[in-house]
């Protein structure tokens, strides 16, 4: 399965905006999973942070580690300092960035086909 890091707005705005951002990211992650990908969703740290508060920098350090394990980044629309940084990290590692669901669907299909050829 193609591991897909989802980068997008999270902590921008008031609480209702954050909730909307998390929901949007979950919806996209679910679509990627249904396409046969393995999404990594850093937005779920929102819930973790409700019980164990960590700084933005600590969350970004963790995100940097996970980006290195992924074969693609799916960038959600919207302003986000963190997502922009995540895209820069991925680009420096040669990890492709996708902005449309159609693009990531094709990448997943290609990856799964290549994987099936290796296993044959």
């Amino acid at each position: 399965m193609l591991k897909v890091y989802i980068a997008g707005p999270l902590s921008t705005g008031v609480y209702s905006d954050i909730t909307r951002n998390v929901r949007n990211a979950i919806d996209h992650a679910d679509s990627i999973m249904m396409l046969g990908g393995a999404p990594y969703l850093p937005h779920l740290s929102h819930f973790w942070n409700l019980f164990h508060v960590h700084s933005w920098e600590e969350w970004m350090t963790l995100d940097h580690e996970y980006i290195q394990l992924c074969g693609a980044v799916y960038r959600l629309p919207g302003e986000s300092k963190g997502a922009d940084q995540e895209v820069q990290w991925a680009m420096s590692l040669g990890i492709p960035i996708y902005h449309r669901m159609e693009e990531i669907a094709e990448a997943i299909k290609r990856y799964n086909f290549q994987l099936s050829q290796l296993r044959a």
Side-chain angles (χ1 to χ4, degrees), residues 28-74:
H28 281 86
D30 193 65
S31 294
I32 289 169
M33 188 173 80
M34 298 308 294
L35 289 167
Y40 175 76
L41 188 57
H43 295 72
L44 296 178
S45 66
H46 166 72
F47 299 105
W48 184 351
N49 206 57
L50 293 174
F51 301 100
H52 301 279
V53 177
H54 296 280
S55 70
W56 183 83
E57 291 79 12
E58 288 172 302
W59 290 117
M60 290 299 290
T61 297
L62 186 62
D63 294 345
H64 185 258
E65 292 298 314
Y66 278 101
I67 286 171
Q68 297 175 62
L69 302 174
C70 292
V73 170
Y74 183 67

Side-chain angles (χ1 to χ4, degrees), residues 6 23-33 39 74 76-77 101:
I6 299 179
R23 172 63 191 265
N24 183 49
I26 289 171
D27 290 345
H28 281 86
D30 193 65
S31 294
I32 289 169
M33 188 173 80
Y74 183 67
L76 299 172
M101 191 57 68

Side-chain angles (χ1 to χ4, degrees), residues 75-87:
R75 176 60 162 97
L76 299 172
E79 284 187 40
S80 172
K81 175 183 166 187
D84 290 345
Q85 180 62 60
E86 292 160 350
V87 165

